[in-house]
Amino acid sequence: MNEITGSPAGSMPEWEKRFRAPRVGLPEWAEDAPDRSLFVSNVTGTYELYAWDRTTGGRRQVTDRPNGTTDGTLSRDGAWVWWFSDTDGDEFGIWMRQPFAGGEDVPAAPGLEASYPAGLALGPGGLAVVGRSTDDEGTSVYVVRPDSQPAEVYRHAESASVGDLSEDGTLVVIEHTEHGDAMHSALRVLSVADGSTAAELDDTDGGRAELGLDCLGFAPVVGDTRLLVGHQRSGRWLPMIWDTATGVETRLAIDLPGDVHAEWYPDGTALLVVHDYQARGEMFRYDLAAGTLARLDTPPGSVSGATARPDGTVEYLWSSAQRPPAVRSTTGAVVLEAPGLRAPESVPVEDAWVEGPGGLIHALVQKPDGEGPFPTVFEIHGGPTWHDSDSFAAGPAAWVDHGFAVVRVNYRGSTGYGREWTDALKHRVGLIELEDIAAVRAWAVSSGLADPRRLVLSGGSWGGYLTLLGLGTQPEAWTVGIAAVPVADYVAAYADEMEALKSLDRTFFGGSPEEVPDRFEASSPLTYVERVAAPVYISAGMNDPRCPIRQIDNYVERLRELDKSHEVYRYDAGHGSLVVEERIKQVRLELAFALKHAGE
């Protein structure tokens, strides 16, 4: 038997099938040509963009790059596919475009130099509004028209992003953080013609209140100045309508717990509401005239994306921890499938609620066959403003296949549990999240689920950061640490990361490393590297702009100097890989490391 796969050599184990099974994302459709769609798929073994003509059923691969492509959109008339071209996953590049039916890739916004993307909105007649971010200039926004030079309409040192264009292309909304709080955006509506300010909405009161706003889209009706806005005035995300011409704000009769997001139905008479609560999702139709909310039938699980079609049906991407993702319709049909191998199911997720220092902590648990206590992986999500949900994930399923229980913790900082829960991680960054993880660890051991001698702390991105920080601040708690693309030396990471993340870090810490050095030191894994007792496995992308390689090398060098047990794997990509075989290789290495140090 193969100790990594648990299967006879030469056969494909279930966990690898889950990674190799072709997947498709939720199709986007062109507003003025709804039979033309764009979706992401890994059918070739690398995630790329695909054009889909619904009238003929024809599908065509648009992009083909060694490290994959996922960032793309359609022009309103469906004539062009816009896609973002970076270098080997470094997220720094330019927008390209290609005819929907196929043809040459050409620069979509000639005259704009390479940058990090900061939003894109495409309007009528070839109009585009392009957001850019660079380390030297901050954020800038340009209006791009066919056969004209780009015209700058916005610039600021702090982070910002293009939200949406009005239906007639005369107004554009910018989400900005000029007040210095990168966690809570304000909205500014600009005239596309000259960049003048048409309207402002700022719930932060100039940075004095921690209340954010989110652009959810202009009404899809020519001449309509209403903007659908997400707000946090009730302690969680809820939608409202703001008329940018009159300033009138209309609250909506949506009485649902948890976070509520929405988008317009194409005729502008109703809203498609997606409700995220306690790691599950459901959908509703909100009739604007009647003020009524009607639930749309979806199976228990998570809705990862949804869009209302012109005929009134809704297409959505659904999955659960047990069942693989599918693009479904409210008609009951499966809208889009990839050919070939089907992903095997996994085990369902169970809920655990644990009393923690900041309130009840929600954790999701998957268990292998047999009786506990089990070797257990604490798989910590990234973000940090994100959350684990009852959705299909090949990584946790692979651990379960190898006899591990998996615990995923929606620690303070996670979304979906109210604004106060998300905002709680400030200043004591990383340490607050680890308090919650420690509380869930104690529950997992005391309940008989987890074997305290075989506990793996693991995660990617922010989860990788918390893994390294946890190994140093809680050295007796963990048997093994596995960190993918982590923050390891926070001061060096701040120096090298993209400017938008610098802004976010200043919000988290209350300043830069020069302004609050003690906070950065207290929250940096490098500070505690001498206390690390568990073997450490680290994987890192050589071109990662979010968790850059130099700061990881600094941490690894200290591990080497201190003769700590560790392994490092570096690969030629950015913040993770879009290549299926590369991802499988990484998981295989992680499994081997964990089984070596925490197996029977």
Side-chain angles (χ1 to χ4, degrees):
M1 300 290 283
N2 183 314
E3 69 167 354
I4 305 305
T5 65
S7 303
S11 67
M12 186 186 297
E14 298 286 274
W15 76 266
E16 287 191 24
K17 291 178 183 177
R18 295 192 192 96
F19 281 98
R20 288 199 172 94
R23 295 192 184 186
V24 292
L26 180 70
E28 170 194 341
W29 50 275
E31 187 171 345
D32 296 334
D35 286 331
R36 292 192 167 190
S37 292
L38 184 71
F39 64 91
V40 175
S41 178
N42 67 340
V43 67
T44 64
T46 302
Y47 284 90
E48 297 286 1
L49 296 170
Y50 290 77
W52 175 27
D53 188 332
R54 297 183 185 226
T55 58
T56 65
R59 305 176 195 175
R60 178 184 71 80
Q61 185 174 342
V62 176
T63 54
D64 184 8
R65 302 194 302 153
N67 285 294
T69 315
T70 59
D71 199 354
T73 191
L74 289 170
S75 61
R76 274 190 49 156
D77 60 6
W80 295 92
V81 177
W82 284 54
W83 62 274
F84 191 76
S85 174
D86 64 353
T87 302
D88 296 329
D90 67 359
E91 301 182 43
F92 194 85
I94 64 171
W95 286 100
M96 303 290 288
R97 66 175 188 165
Q98 182 186 125
F100 182 85
E104 182 183 2
D105 291 307
V106 297
L112 292 184
E113 296 182 355
S115 69
Y116 299 111
L120 173 71
L122 302 183
L127 170 68
V129 179
V130 181
R132 304 172 64 254
S133 174
T134 66
D135 294 338
D136 297 330
E137 300 175 345
T139 306
S140 56
V141 175
Y142 288 82
V143 172
V144 180
R145 300 180 187 275
D147 304 320
S148 299
Q149 286 296 308
E152 183 178 292
V153 293
Y154 179 87
R155 180 179 291 269
H156 200 276
E158 296 290 350
S159 60
S161 180
V162 175
D164 192 29
L165 274 163
S166 61
E167 188 73 4
D168 57 11
T170 62
L171 300 172
V172 63
V173 60
I174 307 295
E175 297 176 351
H176 72 83
T177 60
E178 295 175 7
H179 45 272
D181 180 352
M183 291 182 71
H184 303 97
S185 294
L187 301 179
R188 179 172 299 149
V189 179
L190 304 177
S191 165
V192 171
D194 59 12
S196 61
T197 299
E200 298 260 15
L201 193 61
D202 181 6
D203 280 6
T204 73
D205 190 25
R208 289 177 286 273
E210 295 182 335
L211 293 172
L213 295 169
D214 186 18
C215 166
L216 301 178
F218 274 105
V221 179
V222 173
D224 197 328
T225 55
R226 294 176 301 161
L227 182 69
L228 188 61
V229 172
H231 68 89
Q232 297 179 301
R233 296 172 185 176
S234 299
R236 55 201 173 92
W237 284 108
L238 290 171
M240 70 175 186
I241 293 175
W242 172 42
D243 192 322
T244 62
T246 66
V248 172
E249 299 173 11
T250 303
R251 298 293 185 97
L252 305 175
I254 299 176
D255 185 19
L256 296 169
D259 286 338
V260 180
H261 305 278
E263 69 170 50
W264 297 92
Y265 271 78
D267 61 4
T269 65
L271 302 177
L272 171 60
V273 172
V274 177
H275 175 225
D276 290 318
Y277 184 55
Q278 297 185 350
R280 274 86 179 176
E282 55 184 349
M283 301 189 305
F284 299 82
R285 186 183 189 276
Y286 183 83
D287 187 285
L288 288 168
T292 55
L293 193 67
R295 191 182 189 280
L296 303 178
D297 186 33
T298 56
S302 292
V303 176
S304 301
T307 182
R309 294 279 295 164
D311 63 1
T313 62
V314 174
E315 296 176 354
Y316 60 100
L317 183 61
W318 176 92
S319 72
S320 69
Q322 181 179 13
R323 299 176 62 186
V327 179
R328 298 171 175 248
S329 169
T330 49
T331 64
V334 173
V335 175
L336 184 64
E337 288 186 296
L341 183 69
R342 293 290 180 263
E345 293 188 356
S346 185
V347 300
V349 71
E350 300 175 11
D351 297 281
W353 292 92
V354 178
E355 189 64 50
L360 278 177
I361 307 160
H362 190 195
L364 304 175
V365 180
Q366 289 173 280
K367 294 185 291 188
D369 292 335
E371 296 295 326
F374 303 102
T376 300
V377 177
F378 280 71
E379 184 76 18
I380 309 303
H381 73 72
T385 51
W386 189 247
H387 68 273
D388 278 316
S389 60
D390 182 7
S391 57
F392 195 77
W399 289 111
V400 174
D401 284 2
H402 287 80
F404 289 83
V406 177
V407 179
R408 292 181 283 169
V409 182
N410 282 329
Y411 51 76
R412 277 173 289 174
S414 302
T415 54
Y417 301 89
R419 181 180 61 82
E420 289 185 6
W421 191 261
T422 302
D423 289 354
L425 59 79
K426 285 187 176 182
H427 299 175
R428 292 182 59 246
V429 177
L431 304 173
I432 285 175
E433 299 96 296
L434 285 168
E435 290 176 355
D436 292 347
I437 293 168
V440 177
R441 177 200 178 279
W443 163 83
V445 171
S446 65
S447 69
L449 170 71
D451 181 346
R453 299 170 296 113
R454 295 182 292 168
L455 295 181
V456 181
L457 186 59
S458 177
S461 191
W462 196 264
Y465 158 62
L466 293 177
T467 294
L468 296 184
L469 188 62
L471 295 179
T473 59
Q474 303 168 353
E476 304 305 319
W478 307 106
T479 313
V480 180
I482 298 175
V485 292
V487 175
D489 172 358
Y490 221 128
V491 174
Y494 180 90
D496 294 351
E497 68 191 5
M498 59 174 66
E499 180 56 39
L501 292 183
K502 286 187 172 72
S503 297
L504 189 59
D505 280 340
R506 290 193 294 271
T507 297
F508 286 160
F509 286 94
S512 68
E514 292 75 24
E515 294 167 325
V516 287
D518 291 347
R519 291 178 182 173
F520 275 84
E521 181 180 6
S523 294
S524 178
L526 187 63
T527 302
Y528 309 97
V529 67
E530 292 184 5
R531 298 178 58 193
V532 171
V536 186
Y537 175 88
I538 298 173
S539 61
M542 296 295 291
N543 310 310
D544 191 344
R546 298 174 180 269
C547 297
I549 194 66
R550 180 175 72 95
Q551 52 94 25
I552 293 173
D553 287 342
N554 292 346
Y555 186 88
V556 170
E557 178 60 20
R558 285 295 292 141
L559 287 175
R560 187 193 65 77
E561 292 171 353
L562 294 165
D563 198 27
K564 302 284 186 180
S565 175
H566 70 282
E567 293 182 17
V568 183
Y569 173 66
R570 299 175 178 86
Y571 55 94
D572 186 21
H575 196 60
S577 177
L578 299 175
V579 179
V580 172
E581 289 302 322
E582 172 61 39
R583 184 70 187 113
I584 290 172
K585 178 181 180 180
Q586 293 173 21
V587 173
R588 186 179 290 118
L589 291 170
E590 292 170 358
L591 288 166
F593 192 82
L595 289 168
K596 175 182 177 181
H597 295 286
E600 291 286 0

